Amino acid sequence: MAVSALKWQGWLVALVCVAGMMVFAPLGLYVWAGGAPQPRPGSAAREDVRITDCRIDPASRRVVASVEAVNRFPGTGAYVVTVEFREKETRAPGDRWAQALVKIPGVAPGAAEHGDSLGPVWPPDTVPWCGVAAAEFTEAAPVQ
């Protein structure tokens, strides 16, 4: 009788495992496939953005960088651009300069959108340099 009870117990464990896979495998696939939109790699997104103007606001003495994003990919999405503000274009090792983020939402394929990034108060008699430190593109979720 002990052998037969162990045989049925083995079948019961196998059936529970199969039932669990039937429940959790589709759930896992659903979560995996329906996750949040993935950002496009930084190097590709960085090629889509550029600084069009770098100026000092006369009223506040803060640096303002105008950023243009041109979406070269098929989906509409948003760019998040990290703008760096320096005194010169070349960067010495170990130098740390001010950075600010600008979000440019709703950039349609092939379209150009603009945004402004506000930097720090700039010292008098120095000319600022503004550059793109990083950029990330996230495709908009499809409307259902």
Side-chain angles (χ1 to χ4, degrees):
M1 184 104 179
V3 174
S4 134
L6 288 177
K7 183 178 177 183
W8 283 107
Q9 194 175 26
W11 277 104
L12 182 62
V13 169
L15 285 174
V16 168
C17 288
V18 169
M21 285 193 300
M22 289 177 65
V23 170
F24 292 110
L27 179 64
L29 285 173
Y30 175 76
V31 170
W32 175 73
Q38 296 298 312
R40 201 165 68 215
S43 61
R46 195 160 191 259
E47 294 170 5
D48 292 352
V49 296
R50 68 185 182 104
I51 304 293
T52 58
D53 189 27
C54 183
R55 65 191 181 283
I56 298 175
D57 179 50
S60 67
R61 296 282 312 148
R62 293 181 76 140
V63 181
V64 180
S66 296
V67 181
E68 178 185 62
V70 178
N71 187 355
R72 295 185 180 100
F73 288 83
T76 299
Y79 284 88
V80 176
V81 182
T82 304
V83 178
E84 189 168 62
F85 305 94
R86 296 188 241 155
E87 289 182 11
K88 55 189 176 233
E89 184 175 351
T90 57
R91 182 177 205 176
D95 278 354
R96 295 179 59 102
W97 293 98
Q99 293 183 341
L101 294 176
V102 60
K103 183 173 184 178
I104 305 173
V107 184
E113 296 290 337
H114 299 84
D116 286 335
S117 178
L118 190 60
V121 174
W122 206 253
D125 301 327
T126 56
V127 177
W129 178 88
C130 305
V132 176
E136 193 174 273
F137 177 82
T138 304
E139 194 168 352
V143 179
Q144 296 181 12

mmCIF file of all heavy atoms in Angstrom, residues 40-72:
data_model
loop_
_atom_site.group_PDB
_atom_site.id
_atom_site.type_symbol
_atom_site.label_atom_id
_atom_site.label_comp_id
_atom_site.label_asym_id
_atom_site.label_seq_id
_atom_site.Cartn_x
_atom_site.Cartn_y
_atom_site.Cartn_z
ATOM 1 N N ARG A 40 15.174 54.401 -25.947
ATOM 2 C CA ARG A 40 16.078 54.108 -27.041
ATOM 3 C C ARG A 40 17.495 54.303 -26.530
ATOM 4 O O ARG A 40 17.730 55.132 -25.662
ATOM 5 C CB ARG A 40 15.774 55.059 -28.189
ATOM 6 C CG ARG A 40 16.296 54.504 -29.492
ATOM 7 C CD ARG A 40 15.728 55.199 -30.672
ATOM 8 N NE ARG A 40 16.218 56.558 -30.729
ATOM 9 C CZ ARG A 40 15.494 57.558 -31.166
ATOM 10 N NH1 ARG A 40 14.284 57.374 -31.567
ATOM 11 N NH2 ARG A 40 15.975 58.767 -31.216
ATOM 12 N N PRO A 41 18.443 53.541 -27.030
ATOM 13 C CA PRO A 41 19.822 53.680 -26.558
ATOM 14 C C PRO A 41 20.306 55.127 -26.613
ATOM 15 O O PRO A 41 19.974 55.870 -27.525
ATOM 16 C CB PRO A 41 20.617 52.803 -27.519
ATOM 17 C CG PRO A 41 19.635 51.838 -28.058
ATOM 18 C CD PRO A 41 18.297 52.532 -28.053
ATOM 19 N N GLY A 42 21.098 55.518 -25.638
ATOM 20 C CA GLY A 42 21.547 56.896 -25.508
ATOM 21 C C GLY A 42 22.272 57.440 -26.716
ATOM 22 O O GLY A 42 22.104 58.593 -27.076
ATOM 23 N N SER A 43 23.108 56.642 -27.358
ATOM 24 C CA SER A 43 23.869 57.156 -28.492
ATOM 25 C C SER A 43 22.944 57.525 -29.640
ATOM 26 O O SER A 43 23.154 58.525 -30.318
ATOM 27 C CB SER A 43 24.908 56.140 -28.942
ATOM 28 O OG SER A 43 24.283 54.943 -29.348
ATOM 29 N N ALA A 44 21.903 56.736 -29.879
ATOM 30 C CA ALA A 44 20.971 57.051 -30.966
ATOM 31 C C ALA A 44 20.142 58.286 -30.622
ATOM 32 O O ALA A 44 19.910 59.139 -31.477
ATOM 33 C CB ALA A 44 20.057 55.862 -31.250
ATOM 34 N N ALA A 45 19.701 58.390 -29.375
ATOM 35 C CA ALA A 45 18.911 59.551 -28.971
ATOM 36 C C ALA A 45 19.770 60.812 -28.968
ATOM 37 O O ALA A 45 19.294 61.895 -29.295
ATOM 38 C CB ALA A 45 18.300 59.316 -27.591
ATOM 39 N N ARG A 46 21.025 60.675 -28.612
ATOM 40 C CA ARG A 46 21.922 61.832 -28.556
ATOM 41 C C ARG A 46 22.144 62.422 -29.943
ATOM 42 O O ARG A 46 22.349 63.629 -30.083
ATOM 43 C CB ARG A 46 23.249 61.413 -27.938
ATOM 44 C CG ARG A 46 24.092 62.575 -27.507
ATOM 45 C CD ARG A 46 25.127 62.122 -26.488
ATOM 46 N NE ARG A 46 25.747 63.259 -25.884
ATOM 47 C CZ ARG A 46 26.946 63.718 -26.232
ATOM 48 N NH1 ARG A 46 27.630 63.104 -27.162
ATOM 49 N NH2 ARG A 46 27.452 64.765 -25.637
ATOM 50 N N GLU A 47 22.105 61.589 -30.964
ATOM 51 C CA GLU A 47 22.263 62.079 -32.332
ATOM 52 C C GLU A 47 21.052 62.879 -32.799
ATOM 53 O O GLU A 47 21.148 63.654 -33.748
ATOM 54 C CB GLU A 47 22.502 60.911 -33.280
ATOM 55 C CG GLU A 47 23.810 60.202 -33.040
ATOM 56 C CD GLU A 47 23.920 58.904 -33.828
ATOM 57 O OE1 GLU A 47 23.023 58.605 -34.627
ATOM 58 O OE2 GLU A 47 24.917 58.192 -33.622
ATOM 59 N N ASP A 48 19.919 62.706 -32.128
ATOM 60 C CA ASP A 48 18.683 63.396 -32.515
ATOM 61 C C ASP A 48 18.561 64.794 -31.911
ATOM 62 O O ASP A 48 17.656 65.539 -32.278
ATOM 63 C CB ASP A 48 17.459 62.582 -32.081
ATOM 64 C CG ASP A 48 17.323 61.284 -32.851
ATOM 65 O OD1 ASP A 48 18.076 61.076 -33.812
ATOM 66 O OD2 ASP A 48 16.452 60.474 -32.482
ATOM 67 N N VAL A 49 19.419 65.148 -30.960
ATOM 68 C CA VAL A 49 19.278 66.439 -30.275
ATOM 69 C C VAL A 49 20.514 67.302 -30.489
ATOM 70 O O VAL A 49 21.610 66.791 -30.690
ATOM 71 C CB VAL A 49 19.015 66.257 -28.761
ATOM 72 C CG1 VAL A 49 17.696 65.563 -28.518
ATOM 73 C CG2 VAL A 49 20.140 65.511 -28.090
ATOM 74 N N ARG A 50 20.281 68.617 -30.435
ATOM 75 C CA ARG A 50 21.398 69.554 -30.551
ATOM 76 C C ARG A 50 21.029 70.859 -29.849
ATOM 77 O O ARG A 50 19.850 71.179 -29.677
ATOM 78 C CB ARG A 50 21.772 69.813 -32.003
ATOM 79 C CG ARG A 50 20.731 70.568 -32.778
ATOM 80 C CD ARG A 50 21.103 70.694 -34.252
ATOM 81 N NE ARG A 50 20.110 71.467 -34.962
ATOM 82 C CZ ARG A 50 20.261 72.720 -35.337
ATOM 83 N NH1 ARG A 50 21.388 73.362 -35.078
ATOM 84 N NH2 ARG A 50 19.305 73.372 -35.979
ATOM 85 N N ILE A 51 22.056 71.590 -29.457
ATOM 86 C CA ILE A 51 21.880 72.906 -28.846
ATOM 87 C C ILE A 51 21.821 73.924 -29.973
ATOM 88 O O ILE A 51 22.729 73.992 -30.807
ATOM 89 C CB ILE A 51 23.046 73.239 -27.885
ATOM 90 C CG1 ILE A 51 23.204 72.172 -26.811
ATOM 91 C CG2 ILE A 51 22.873 74.623 -27.284
ATOM 92 C CD1 ILE A 51 22.068 72.085 -25.836
ATOM 93 N N THR A 52 20.759 74.707 -30.008
ATOM 94 C CA THR A 52 20.629 75.714 -31.066
ATOM 95 C C THR A 52 21.029 77.103 -30.590
ATOM 96 O O THR A 52 21.328 77.968 -31.411
ATOM 97 C CB THR A 52 19.190 75.752 -31.611
ATOM 98 O OG1 THR A 52 18.292 76.022 -30.534
ATOM 99 C CG2 THR A 52 18.833 74.434 -32.277
ATOM 100 N N ASP A 53 21.024 77.335 -29.264
ATOM 101 C CA ASP A 53 21.388 78.648 -28.744
ATOM 102 C C ASP A 53 21.846 78.501 -27.297
ATOM 103 O O ASP A 53 21.297 77.700 -26.544
ATOM 104 C CB ASP A 53 20.184 79.598 -28.827
ATOM 105 C CG ASP A 53 20.549 81.032 -28.496
ATOM 106 O OD1 ASP A 53 21.723 81.419 -28.694
ATOM 107 O OD2 ASP A 53 19.657 81.773 -28.037
ATOM 108 N N CYS A 54 22.846 79.266 -26.932
ATOM 109 C CA CYS A 54 23.352 79.289 -25.564
ATOM 110 C C CYS A 54 23.545 80.756 -25.205
ATOM 111 O O CYS A 54 24.405 81.430 -25.783
ATOM 112 C CB CYS A 54 24.666 78.513 -25.470
ATOM 113 S SG CYS A 54 25.336 78.397 -23.804
ATOM 114 N N ARG A 55 22.744 81.242 -24.292
ATOM 115 C CA ARG A 55 22.766 82.668 -23.988
ATOM 116 C C ARG A 55 22.585 82.908 -22.494
ATOM 117 O O ARG A 55 22.164 82.015 -21.761
ATOM 118 C CB ARG A 55 21.665 83.385 -24.766
ATOM 119 C CG ARG A 55 20.274 82.944 -24.347
ATOM 120 C CD ARG A 55 19.198 83.467 -25.298
ATOM 121 N NE ARG A 55 17.869 83.063 -24.879
ATOM 122 C CZ ARG A 55 17.337 81.859 -25.047
ATOM 123 N NH1 ARG A 55 18.048 80.897 -25.617
ATOM 124 N NH2 ARG A 55 16.119 81.579 -24.650
ATOM 125 N N ILE A 56 22.869 84.119 -22.073
ATOM 126 C CA ILE A 56 22.648 84.521 -20.685
ATOM 127 C C ILE A 56 21.417 85.408 -20.665
ATOM 128 O O ILE A 56 21.336 86.399 -21.403
ATOM 129 C CB ILE A 56 23.869 85.267 -20.122
ATOM 130 C CG1 ILE A 56 25.088 84.343 -20.115
ATOM 131 C CG2 ILE A 56 23.575 85.771 -18.717
ATOM 132 C CD1 ILE A 56 26.368 85.018 -19.700
ATOM 133 N N ASP A 57 20.466 85.048 -19.827
ATOM 134 C CA ASP A 57 19.257 85.853 -19.676
ATOM 135 C C ASP A 57 19.657 87.149 -18.963
ATOM 136 O O ASP A 57 20.217 87.104 -17.863
ATOM 137 C CB ASP A 57 18.219 85.091 -18.848
ATOM 138 C CG ASP A 57 16.955 85.893 -18.644
ATOM 139 O OD1 ASP A 57 16.413 86.412 -19.637
ATOM 140 O OD2 ASP A 57 16.513 86.005 -17.478
ATOM 141 N N PRO A 58 19.398 88.316 -19.594
ATOM 142 C CA PRO A 58 19.864 89.567 -19.006
ATOM 143 C C PRO A 58 19.218 89.889 -17.652
ATOM 144 O O PRO A 58 19.852 90.501 -16.801
ATOM 145 C CB PRO A 58 19.515 90.633 -20.046
ATOM 146 C CG PRO A 58 18.651 89.980 -21.048
ATOM 147 C CD PRO A 58 18.744 88.507 -20.865
ATOM 148 N N ALA A 59 17.993 89.486 -17.444
ATOM 149 C CA ALA A 59 17.308 89.821 -16.192
ATOM 150 C C ALA A 59 17.803 88.982 -15.015
ATOM 151 O O ALA A 59 18.041 89.501 -13.925
ATOM 152 C CB ALA A 59 15.813 89.634 -16.363
ATOM 153 N N SER A 60 17.982 87.695 -15.226
ATOM 154 C CA SER A 60 18.340 86.806 -14.113
ATOM 155 C C SER A 60 19.814 86.408 -14.098
ATOM 156 O O SER A 60 20.271 85.817 -13.126
ATOM 157 C CB SER A 60 17.481 85.545 -14.171
ATOM 158 O OG SER A 60 17.800 84.787 -15.316
ATOM 159 N N ARG A 61 20.560 86.691 -15.169
ATOM 160 C CA ARG A 61 21.965 86.285 -15.328
ATOM 161 C C ARG A 61 22.142 84.772 -15.338
ATOM 162 O O ARG A 61 23.200 84.248 -15.082
ATOM 163 C CB ARG A 61 22.864 86.903 -14.238
ATOM 164 C CG ARG A 61 22.976 88.382 -14.229
ATOM 165 C CD ARG A 61 23.888 88.979 -15.266
ATOM 166 N NE ARG A 61 25.194 88.320 -15.334
ATOM 167 C CZ ARG A 61 25.892 88.215 -16.452
ATOM 168 N NH1 ARG A 61 25.423 88.707 -17.566
ATOM 169 N NH2 ARG A 61 27.055 87.619 -16.473
ATOM 170 N N ARG A 62 21.071 84.043 -15.627
ATOM 171 C CA ARG A 62 21.151 82.587 -15.718
ATOM 172 C C ARG A 62 21.383 82.194 -17.168
ATOM 173 O O ARG A 62 20.930 82.870 -18.092
ATOM 174 C CB ARG A 62 19.858 81.954 -15.209
ATOM 175 C CG ARG A 62 19.668 82.175 -13.711
ATOM 176 C CD ARG A 62 18.427 81.537 -13.242
ATOM 177 N NE ARG A 62 18.653 80.101 -13.150
ATOM 178 C CZ ARG A 62 18.200 79.347 -12.171
ATOM 179 N NH1 ARG A 62 17.508 79.877 -11.200
ATOM 180 N NH2 ARG A 62 18.438 78.071 -12.163
ATOM 181 N N VAL A 63 22.065 81.085 -17.351
ATOM 182 C CA VAL A 63 22.328 80.575 -18.698
ATOM 183 C C VAL A 63 21.070 79.859 -19.186
ATOM 184 O O VAL A 63 20.442 79.107 -18.442
ATOM 185 C CB VAL A 63 23.520 79.596 -18.700
ATOM 186 C CG1 VAL A 63 23.794 79.098 -20.101
ATOM 187 C CG2 VAL A 63 24.736 80.238 -18.123
ATOM 188 N N VAL A 64 20.724 80.088 -20.450
ATOM 189 C CA VAL A 64 19.586 79.424 -21.072
ATOM 190 C C VAL A 64 20.084 78.735 -22.338
ATOM 191 O O VAL A 64 20.704 79.375 -23.194
ATOM 192 C CB VAL A 64 18.461 80.426 -21.434
ATOM 193 C CG1 VAL A 64 17.296 79.710 -22.088
ATOM 194 C CG2 VAL A 64 18.007 81.182 -20.199
ATOM 195 N N ALA A 65 19.817 77.436 -22.440
ATOM 196 C CA ALA A 65 20.194 76.678 -23.637
ATOM 197 C C ALA A 65 18.929 76.260 -24.369
ATOM 198 O O ALA A 65 18.027 75.669 -23.770
ATOM 199 C CB ALA A 65 21.006 75.449 -23.251
ATOM 200 N N SER A 66 18.852 76.571 -25.638
ATOM 201 C CA SER A 66 17.729 76.131 -26.468
ATOM 202 C C SER A 66 18.115 74.795 -27.103
ATOM 203 O O SER A 66 19.186 74.681 -27.702
ATOM 204 C CB SER A 66 17.415 77.148 -27.554
ATOM 205 O OG SER A 66 16.995 78.358 -26.961
ATOM 206 N N VAL A 67 17.235 73.816 -26.964
ATOM 207 C CA VAL A 67 17.508 72.460 -27.435
ATOM 208 C C VAL A 67 16.494 72.098 -28.512
ATOM 209 O O VAL A 67 15.300 72.371 -28.376
ATOM 210 C CB VAL A 67 17.410 71.443 -26.270
ATOM 211 C CG1 VAL A 67 17.719 70.047 -26.749
ATOM 212 C CG2 VAL A 67 18.329 71.846 -25.135
ATOM 213 N N GLU A 68 16.976 71.478 -29.585
ATOM 214 C CA GLU A 68 16.105 71.001 -30.654
ATOM 215 C C GLU A 68 16.223 69.477 -30.733
ATOM 216 O O GLU A 68 17.318 68.932 -30.700
ATOM 217 C CB GLU A 68 16.521 71.604 -31.992
ATOM 218 C CG GLU A 68 15.668 71.111 -33.158
ATOM 219 C CD GLU A 68 16.175 71.632 -34.484
ATOM 220 O OE1 GLU A 68 17.317 71.303 -34.844
ATOM 221 O OE2 GLU A 68 15.415 72.350 -35.145
ATOM 222 N N ALA A 69 15.069 68.816 -30.812
ATOM 223 C CA ALA A 69 15.039 67.355 -30.966
ATOM 224 C C ALA A 69 14.314 67.027 -32.258
ATOM 225 O O ALA A 69 13.201 67.497 -32.494
ATOM 226 C CB ALA A 69 14.325 66.707 -29.790
ATOM 227 N N VAL A 70 14.943 66.213 -33.097
ATOM 228 C CA VAL A 70 14.343 65.757 -34.350
ATOM 229 C C VAL A 70 14.199 64.243 -34.246
ATOM 230 O O VAL A 70 15.182 63.525 -34.141
ATOM 231 C CB VAL A 70 15.219 66.127 -35.568
ATOM 232 C CG1 VAL A 70 14.593 65.598 -36.846
ATOM 233 C CG2 VAL A 70 15.423 67.618 -35.638
ATOM 234 N N ASN A 71 12.973 63.767 -34.258
ATOM 235 C CA ASN A 71 12.702 62.330 -34.119
ATOM 236 C C ASN A 71 12.930 61.643 -35.458
ATOM 237 O O ASN A 71 12.197 61.867 -36.412
ATOM 238 C CB ASN A 71 11.272 62.115 -33.632
ATOM 239 C CG ASN A 71 10.989 60.667 -33.310
ATOM 240 O OD1 ASN A 71 11.821 59.793 -33.527
ATOM 241 N ND2 ASN A 71 9.813 60.412 -32.793
ATOM 242 N N ARG A 72 13.922 60.768 -35.523
ATOM 243 C CA ARG A 72 14.245 60.050 -36.760
ATOM 244 C C ARG A 72 13.731 58.622 -36.748
ATOM 245 O O ARG A 72 14.136 57.819 -37.573
ATOM 246 C CB ARG A 72 15.753 60.071 -36.970
ATOM 247 C CG ARG A 72 16.296 61.451 -37.213
ATOM 248 C CD ARG A 72 17.778 61.428 -37.531
ATOM 249 N NE ARG A 72 18.261 62.764 -37.766
ATOM 250 C CZ ARG A 72 18.908 63.498 -36.879
ATOM 251 N NH1 ARG A 72 19.154 63.027 -35.693
ATOM 252 N NH2 ARG A 72 19.315 64.702 -37.177
#
